[in-house]
Amino acid sequence: RVARTASQMDHVPGAPLGVPPSMLDANDLGAGDFILLAPGLHAGFTLAADDAGVTILGAQNGGSVVTGAVKAQAGGVLQRLNLSGGVDVLGGVTDFALVDNTIGAGGVILNGGSGLQLLHNRFNGATGITIAAAASGLIPHNDIFPTATGLPIDAPFASFAV
């Protein structure tokens, strides 16, 4: 089920679109549901437990830019997005995936979790991937070009076989 596309939302040109925060807040989404983001600027958001499993998919050319921070409090998939505000994965999150994104600012901070997958992303902010608390998952095939530290490891990260 496709909840709604960003192009269906009213917005002021040049201002961040209200998607996905408004889509996540207004709908009870889950596995098998998609939010499709049109090219343009989008506000940061929190992926909360009531939307666990949703997939948020950006435009094919990478033109869907999320300007604010993203907080993952639940599992889901973020794919083909420019996450310029970085991503904070909270402890206890399971089955969260970042696939084929460009990630800026403080990169991704893993504060625990399991079944995490960071696949084919490009990191170009101050930091790449920070492992702040024990977590598990996969982190293959990422390009990390930070301006400071690429991979701060403050806790163990266990990988699993697919």
Side-chain angles (χ1 to χ4, degrees):
R1 164 181 84 152
V2 176
R4 203 166 173 189
T5 64
S7 61
Q8 293 172 306
M9 303 297 291
D10 294 327
H11 71 282
V12 176
L17 296 169
V19 175
S22 61
M23 291 301 308
L24 293 170
D25 293 342
N27 296 280
D28 184 13
L29 303 173
D33 291 329
F34 291 80
I35 295 176
L36 307 174
L37 297 185
L41 302 176
H42 302 273
F45 59 92
T46 296
L47 179 58
D50 62 337
D51 293 315
V54 68
T55 296
I56 301 175
L57 186 62
Q60 288 185 350
N61 64 358
S64 302
V65 180
V66 177
T67 59
V70 172
K71 292 193 183 304
Q73 297 175 342
V77 178
L78 306 181
Q79 186 170 353
R80 288 196 322 227
L81 301 168
N82 184 332
L83 301 165
S84 64
V87 179
D88 188 5
V89 180
L90 302 182
V93 170
T94 59
D95 302 323
F96 177 74
L98 291 168
V99 182
D100 193 27
N101 300 291
T102 299
I103 303 169
V108 172
I109 301 171
L110 301 176
N111 292 296
S114 62
L116 307 175
Q117 297 184 49
L118 281 66
L119 312 168
H120 302 282
N121 298 291
R122 292 153 307 285
F123 293 86
N124 60 12
T127 308
I129 303 167
T130 300
I131 302 172
S136 66
L138 294 172
I139 308 179
H141 310 290
N142 293 286
D143 296 323
I144 303 173
F145 300 100
T147 57
T149 306
L151 191 58
I153 301 173
D154 299 324
F157 187 88
S159 64
F160 61 86
V162 177

PDB file of all heavy atoms in Angstrom, residues 99-129:
ATOM      1  N   VAL A  99      19.704   1.867   2.870  1.00  0.00           N
ATOM      2  CA  VAL A  99      20.181   1.290   1.617  1.00  0.00           C
ATOM      3  C   VAL A  99      20.319   2.380   0.553  1.00  0.00           C
ATOM      4  O   VAL A  99      19.347   3.098   0.264  1.00  0.00           O
ATOM      5  CB  VAL A  99      19.207   0.201   1.105  1.00  0.00           C
ATOM      6  CG1 VAL A  99      19.732  -0.435  -0.179  1.00  0.00           C
ATOM      7  CG2 VAL A  99      18.965  -0.860   2.169  1.00  0.00           C
ATOM      8  N   ASP A 100      21.507   2.511  -0.016  1.00  0.00           N
ATOM      9  CA  ASP A 100      21.755   3.400  -1.148  1.00  0.00           C
ATOM     10  C   ASP A 100      21.390   4.855  -0.864  1.00  0.00           C
ATOM     11  O   ASP A 100      20.701   5.500  -1.639  1.00  0.00           O
ATOM     12  CB  ASP A 100      21.010   2.891  -2.390  1.00  0.00           C
ATOM     13  CG  ASP A 100      21.459   3.584  -3.667  1.00  0.00           C
ATOM     14  OD1 ASP A 100      22.613   4.044  -3.723  1.00  0.00           O
ATOM     15  OD2 ASP A 100      20.644   3.679  -4.608  1.00  0.00           O
ATOM     16  N   ASN A 101      21.841   5.362   0.280  1.00  0.00           N
ATOM     17  CA  ASN A 101      21.600   6.749   0.675  1.00  0.00           C
ATOM     18  C   ASN A 101      22.902   7.539   0.663  1.00  0.00           C
ATOM     19  O   ASN A 101      23.985   6.969   0.729  1.00  0.00           O
ATOM     20  CB  ASN A 101      21.028   6.801   2.102  1.00  0.00           C
ATOM     21  CG  ASN A 101      19.728   6.061   2.229  1.00  0.00           C
ATOM     22  OD1 ASN A 101      18.712   6.476   1.691  1.00  0.00           O
ATOM     23  ND2 ASN A 101      19.746   4.948   2.945  1.00  0.00           N
ATOM     24  N   THR A 102      22.785   8.861   0.633  1.00  0.00           N
ATOM     25  CA  THR A 102      23.899   9.754   0.912  1.00  0.00           C
ATOM     26  C   THR A 102      23.621  10.352   2.283  1.00  0.00           C
ATOM     27  O   THR A 102      22.530  10.882   2.513  1.00  0.00           O
ATOM     28  CB  THR A 102      24.008  10.858  -0.150  1.00  0.00           C
ATOM     29  OG1 THR A 102      24.244  10.245  -1.422  1.00  0.00           O
ATOM     30  CG2 THR A 102      25.140  11.818   0.173  1.00  0.00           C
ATOM     31  N   ILE A 103      24.582  10.235   3.197  1.00  0.00           N
ATOM     32  CA  ILE A 103      24.353  10.622   4.587  1.00  0.00           C
ATOM     33  C   ILE A 103      25.408  11.638   5.013  1.00  0.00           C
ATOM     34  O   ILE A 103      26.604  11.387   4.907  1.00  0.00           O
ATOM     35  CB  ILE A 103      24.380   9.379   5.508  1.00  0.00           C
ATOM     36  CG1 ILE A 103      23.331   8.366   5.012  1.00  0.00           C
ATOM     37  CG2 ILE A 103      24.138   9.779   6.958  1.00  0.00           C
ATOM     38  CD1 ILE A 103      23.424   7.005   5.644  1.00  0.00           C
ATOM     39  N   GLY A 104      24.934  12.795   5.486  1.00  0.00           N
ATOM     40  CA  GLY A 104      25.829  13.873   5.883  1.00  0.00           C
ATOM     41  C   GLY A 104      25.814  14.093   7.375  1.00  0.00           C
ATOM     42  O   GLY A 104      25.498  13.197   8.157  1.00  0.00           O
ATOM     43  N   ALA A 105      26.144  15.310   7.780  1.00  0.00           N
ATOM     44  CA  ALA A 105      26.190  15.755   9.185  1.00  0.00           C
ATOM     45  C   ALA A 105      27.019  14.789  10.023  1.00  0.00           C
ATOM     46  O   ALA A 105      28.164  14.505   9.694  1.00  0.00           O
ATOM     47  CB  ALA A 105      24.795  15.951   9.755  1.00  0.00           C
ATOM     48  N   GLY A 106      26.438  14.255  11.092  1.00  0.00           N
ATOM     49  CA  GLY A 106      27.134  13.335  11.990  1.00  0.00           C
ATOM     50  C   GLY A 106      27.051  11.892  11.548  1.00  0.00           C
ATOM     51  O   GLY A 106      27.373  10.997  12.334  1.00  0.00           O
ATOM     52  N   GLY A 107      26.637  11.632  10.318  1.00  0.00           N
ATOM     53  CA  GLY A 107      26.556  10.266   9.808  1.00  0.00           C
ATOM     54  C   GLY A 107      25.459   9.480  10.485  1.00  0.00           C
ATOM     55  O   GLY A 107      24.385  10.000  10.765  1.00  0.00           O
ATOM     56  N   VAL A 108      25.741   8.216  10.780  1.00  0.00           N
ATOM     57  CA  VAL A 108      24.795   7.338  11.464  1.00  0.00           C
ATOM     58  C   VAL A 108      25.369   7.015  12.839  1.00  0.00           C
ATOM     59  O   VAL A 108      26.529   6.627  12.955  1.00  0.00           O
ATOM     60  CB  VAL A 108      24.563   6.031  10.677  1.00  0.00           C
ATOM     61  CG1 VAL A 108      23.733   5.047  11.478  1.00  0.00           C
ATOM     62  CG2 VAL A 108      23.898   6.325   9.345  1.00  0.00           C
ATOM     63  N   ILE A 109      24.537   7.170  13.861  1.00  0.00           N
ATOM     64  CA  ILE A 109      24.925   6.802  15.221  1.00  0.00           C
ATOM     65  C   ILE A 109      24.094   5.595  15.623  1.00  0.00           C
ATOM     66  O   ILE A 109      22.863   5.673  15.654  1.00  0.00           O
ATOM     67  CB  ILE A 109      24.711   7.958  16.210  1.00  0.00           C
ATOM     68  CG1 ILE A 109      25.527   9.171  15.777  1.00  0.00           C
ATOM     69  CG2 ILE A 109      25.089   7.522  17.629  1.00  0.00           C
ATOM     70  CD1 ILE A 109      25.228  10.426  16.564  1.00  0.00           C
ATOM     71  N   LEU A 110      24.773   4.473  15.876  1.00  0.00           N
ATOM     72  CA  LEU A 110      24.094   3.255  16.298  1.00  0.00           C
ATOM     73  C   LEU A 110      24.165   3.170  17.819  1.00  0.00           C
ATOM     74  O   LEU A 110      25.220   2.942  18.388  1.00  0.00           O
ATOM     75  CB  LEU A 110      24.756   2.025  15.667  1.00  0.00           C
ATOM     76  CG  LEU A 110      24.792   1.996  14.140  1.00  0.00           C
ATOM     77  CD1 LEU A 110      25.559   0.774  13.650  1.00  0.00           C
ATOM     78  CD2 LEU A 110      23.395   2.035  13.563  1.00  0.00           C
ATOM     79  N   ASN A 111      23.010   3.356  18.466  1.00  0.00           N
ATOM     80  CA  ASN A 111      22.922   3.307  19.929  1.00  0.00           C
ATOM     81  C   ASN A 111      22.385   1.963  20.383  1.00  0.00           C
ATOM     82  O   ASN A 111      21.607   1.881  21.326  1.00  0.00           O
ATOM     83  CB  ASN A 111      22.016   4.436  20.423  1.00  0.00           C
ATOM     84  CG  ASN A 111      22.634   5.787  20.189  1.00  0.00           C
ATOM     85  OD1 ASN A 111      23.668   6.103  20.758  1.00  0.00           O
ATOM     86  ND2 ASN A 111      22.023   6.574  19.330  1.00  0.00           N
ATOM     87  N   GLY A 112      22.781   0.909  19.706  1.00  0.00           N
ATOM     88  CA  GLY A 112      22.300  -0.437  19.996  1.00  0.00           C
ATOM     89  C   GLY A 112      21.348  -0.895  18.908  1.00  0.00           C
ATOM     90  O   GLY A 112      21.125  -0.204  17.923  1.00  0.00           O
ATOM     91  N   GLY A 113      20.793  -2.083  19.094  1.00  0.00           N
ATOM     92  CA  GLY A 113      19.858  -2.632  18.124  1.00  0.00           C
ATOM     93  C   GLY A 113      20.371  -3.928  17.541  1.00  0.00           C
ATOM     94  O   GLY A 113      21.528  -4.317  17.727  1.00  0.00           O
ATOM     95  N   SER A 114      19.485  -4.613  16.817  1.00  0.00           N
ATOM     96  CA  SER A 114      19.867  -5.869  16.172  1.00  0.00           C
ATOM     97  C   SER A 114      19.187  -5.959  14.810  1.00  0.00           C
ATOM     98  O   SER A 114      18.184  -5.300  14.561  1.00  0.00           O
ATOM     99  CB  SER A 114      19.450  -7.065  17.042  1.00  0.00           C
ATOM    100  OG  SER A 114      18.042  -7.093  17.201  1.00  0.00           O
ATOM    101  N   GLY A 115      19.786  -6.761  13.937  1.00  0.00           N
ATOM    102  CA  GLY A 115      19.257  -6.877  12.584  1.00  0.00           C
ATOM    103  C   GLY A 115      19.410  -5.588  11.795  1.00  0.00           C
ATOM    104  O   GLY A 115      18.653  -5.333  10.859  1.00  0.00           O
ATOM    105  N   LEU A 116      20.395  -4.764  12.152  1.00  0.00           N
ATOM    106  CA  LEU A 116      20.629  -3.491  11.470  1.00  0.00           C
ATOM    107  C   LEU A 116      21.389  -3.737  10.177  1.00  0.00           C
ATOM    108  O   LEU A 116      22.310  -4.553  10.137  1.00  0.00           O
ATOM    109  CB  LEU A 116      21.419  -2.549  12.378  1.00  0.00           C
ATOM    110  CG  LEU A 116      20.851  -2.326  13.780  1.00  0.00           C
ATOM    111  CD1 LEU A 116      21.794  -1.462  14.602  1.00  0.00           C
ATOM    112  CD2 LEU A 116      19.461  -1.726  13.713  1.00  0.00           C
ATOM    113  N   GLN A 117      21.009  -3.028   9.113  1.00  0.00           N
ATOM    114  CA  GLN A 117      21.693  -3.177   7.835  1.00  0.00           C
ATOM    115  C   GLN A 117      21.995  -1.804   7.251  1.00  0.00           C
ATOM    116  O   GLN A 117      21.084  -1.021   7.019  1.00  0.00           O
ATOM    117  CB  GLN A 117      20.840  -3.977   6.859  1.00  0.00           C
ATOM    118  CG  GLN A 117      20.585  -5.399   7.327  1.00  0.00           C
ATOM    119  CD  GLN A 117      19.828  -6.200   6.298  1.00  0.00           C
ATOM    120  OE1 GLN A 117      20.194  -6.211   5.130  1.00  0.00           O
ATOM    121  NE2 GLN A 117      18.776  -6.860   6.724  1.00  0.00           N
ATOM    122  N   LEU A 118      23.276  -1.538   7.030  1.00  0.00           N
ATOM    123  CA  LEU A 118      23.726  -0.327   6.362  1.00  0.00           C
ATOM    124  C   LEU A 118      24.433  -0.785   5.095  1.00  0.00           C
ATOM    125  O   LEU A 118      25.558  -1.294   5.156  1.00  0.00           O
ATOM    126  CB  LEU A 118      24.674   0.472   7.259  1.00  0.00           C
ATOM    127  CG  LEU A 118      24.031   1.326   8.350  1.00  0.00           C
ATOM    128  CD1 LEU A 118      23.349   0.485   9.403  1.00  0.00           C
ATOM    129  CD2 LEU A 118      25.055   2.244   8.975  1.00  0.00           C
ATOM    130  N   LEU A 119      23.771  -0.633   3.959  1.00  0.00           N
ATOM    131  CA  LEU A 119      24.240  -1.214   2.704  1.00  0.00           C
ATOM    132  C   LEU A 119      24.351  -0.161   1.602  1.00  0.00           C
ATOM    133  O   LEU A 119      23.385   0.550   1.323  1.00  0.00           O
ATOM    134  CB  LEU A 119      23.271  -2.305   2.236  1.00  0.00           C
ATOM    135  CG  LEU A 119      22.832  -3.342   3.275  1.00  0.00           C
ATOM    136  CD1 LEU A 119      21.664  -4.156   2.758  1.00  0.00           C
ATOM    137  CD2 LEU A 119      23.998  -4.236   3.615  1.00  0.00           C
ATOM    138  N   HIS A 120      25.506  -0.077   0.963  1.00  0.00           N
ATOM    139  CA  HIS A 120      25.715   0.752  -0.228  1.00  0.00           C
ATOM    140  C   HIS A 120      25.385   2.229  -0.008  1.00  0.00           C
ATOM    141  O   HIS A 120      24.803   2.875  -0.871  1.00  0.00           O
ATOM    142  CB  HIS A 120      24.914   0.200  -1.416  1.00  0.00           C
ATOM    143  CG  HIS A 120      25.255  -1.204  -1.756  1.00  0.00           C
ATOM    144  ND1 HIS A 120      26.389  -1.539  -2.457  1.00  0.00           N
ATOM    145  CD2 HIS A 120      24.630  -2.368  -1.471  1.00  0.00           C
ATOM    146  CE1 HIS A 120      26.440  -2.856  -2.594  1.00  0.00           C
ATOM    147  NE2 HIS A 120      25.385  -3.377  -2.002  1.00  0.00           N
ATOM    148  N   ASN A 121      25.765   2.771   1.151  1.00  0.00           N
ATOM    149  CA  ASN A 121      25.555   4.187   1.444  1.00  0.00           C
ATOM    150  C   ASN A 121      26.837   4.968   1.210  1.00  0.00           C
ATOM    151  O   ASN A 121      27.923   4.408   1.179  1.00  0.00           O
ATOM    152  CB  ASN A 121      25.103   4.351   2.904  1.00  0.00           C
ATOM    153  CG  ASN A 121      23.793   3.652   3.166  1.00  0.00           C
ATOM    154  OD1 ASN A 121      22.753   4.065   2.673  1.00  0.00           O
ATOM    155  ND2 ASN A 121      23.831   2.569   3.933  1.00  0.00           N
ATOM    156  N   ARG A 122      26.679   6.282   1.065  1.00  0.00           N
ATOM    157  CA  ARG A 122      27.808   7.186   0.913  1.00  0.00           C
ATOM    158  C   ARG A 122      27.758   8.189   2.068  1.00  0.00           C
ATOM    159  O   ARG A 122      26.757   8.876   2.252  1.00  0.00           O
ATOM    160  CB  ARG A 122      27.724   7.913  -0.431  1.00  0.00           C
ATOM    161  CG  ARG A 122      27.939   6.956  -1.598  1.00  0.00           C
ATOM    162  CD  ARG A 122      27.262   7.395  -2.879  1.00  0.00           C
ATOM    163  NE  ARG A 122      25.842   7.700  -2.792  1.00  0.00           N
ATOM    164  CZ  ARG A 122      24.861   6.793  -2.701  1.00  0.00           C
ATOM    165  NH1 ARG A 122      25.140   5.512  -2.652  1.00  0.00           N
ATOM    166  NH2 ARG A 122      23.593   7.173  -2.647  1.00  0.00           N
ATOM    167  N   PHE A 123      28.843   8.255   2.835  1.00  0.00           N
ATOM    168  CA  PHE A 123      28.921   9.141   3.997  1.00  0.00           C
ATOM    169  C   PHE A 123      29.853  10.289   3.674  1.00  0.00           C
ATOM    170  O   PHE A 123      31.010  10.069   3.324  1.00  0.00           O
ATOM    171  CB  PHE A 123      29.444   8.370   5.215  1.00  0.00           C
ATOM    172  CG  PHE A 123      28.492   7.315   5.700  1.00  0.00           C
ATOM    173  CD1 PHE A 123      28.500   6.040   5.147  1.00  0.00           C
ATOM    174  CD2 PHE A 123      27.577   7.597   6.696  1.00  0.00           C
ATOM    175  CE1 PHE A 123      27.621   5.067   5.579  1.00  0.00           C
ATOM    176  CE2 PHE A 123      26.692   6.631   7.147  1.00  0.00           C
ATOM    177  CZ  PHE A 123      26.714   5.360   6.585  1.00  0.00           C
ATOM    178  N   ASN A 124      29.374  11.525   3.814  1.00  0.00           N
ATOM    179  CA  ASN A 124      30.198  12.679   3.465  1.00  0.00           C
ATOM    180  C   ASN A 124      30.118  13.795   4.499  1.00  0.00           C
ATOM    181  O   ASN A 124      30.456  14.922   4.210  1.00  0.00           O
ATOM    182  CB  ASN A 124      29.819  13.212   2.080  1.00  0.00           C
ATOM    183  CG  ASN A 124      28.363  13.646   1.989  1.00  0.00           C
ATOM    184  OD1 ASN A 124      27.677  13.771   2.994  1.00  0.00           O
ATOM    185  ND2 ASN A 124      27.900  13.870   0.778  1.00  0.00           N
ATOM    186  N   GLY A 125      29.680  13.491   5.722  1.00  0.00           N
ATOM    187  CA  GLY A 125      29.608  14.493   6.786  1.00  0.00           C
ATOM    188  C   GLY A 125      30.859  14.470   7.643  1.00  0.00           C
ATOM    189  O   GLY A 125      31.910  13.965   7.227  1.00  0.00           O
ATOM    190  N   ALA A 126      30.736  14.989   8.833  1.00  0.00           N
ATOM    191  CA  ALA A 126      31.870  15.018   9.756  1.00  0.00           C
ATOM    192  C   ALA A 126      32.275  13.618  10.188  1.00  0.00           C
ATOM    193  O   ALA A 126      33.453  13.326  10.360  1.00  0.00           O
ATOM    194  CB  ALA A 126      31.523  15.867  10.976  1.00  0.00           C
ATOM    195  N   THR A 127      31.285  12.729  10.360  1.00  0.00           N
ATOM    196  CA  THR A 127      31.532  11.373  10.832  1.00  0.00           C
ATOM    197  C   THR A 127      30.803  10.390   9.931  1.00  0.00           C
ATOM    198  O   THR A 127      29.757  10.716   9.374  1.00  0.00           O
ATOM    199  CB  THR A 127      31.031  11.210  12.291  1.00  0.00           C
ATOM    200  OG1 THR A 127      31.598  12.249  13.081  1.00  0.00           O
ATOM    201  CG2 THR A 127      31.420   9.878  12.871  1.00  0.00           C
ATOM    202  N   GLY A 128      31.330   9.184   9.844  1.00  0.00           N
ATOM    203  CA  GLY A 128      30.674   8.141   9.051  1.00  0.00           C
ATOM    204  C   GLY A 128      29.674   7.366   9.883  1.00  0.00           C
ATOM    205  O   GLY A 128      28.541   7.778  10.066  1.00  0.00           O
ATOM    206  N   ILE A 129      30.106   6.239  10.424  1.00  0.00           N
ATOM    207  CA  ILE A 129      29.249   5.367  11.227  1.00  0.00           C
ATOM    208  C   ILE A 129      29.835   5.296  12.633  1.00  0.00           C
ATOM    209  O   ILE A 129      30.977   4.879  12.810  1.00  0.00           O
ATOM    210  CB  ILE A 129      29.183   3.952  10.626  1.00  0.00           C
ATOM    211  CG1 ILE A 129      28.679   4.000   9.186  1.00  0.00           C
ATOM    212  CG2 ILE A 129      28.309   3.043  11.480  1.00  0.00           C
ATOM    213  CD1 ILE A 129      28.875   2.699   8.421  1.00  0.00           C
TER     214      ILE A 129
END
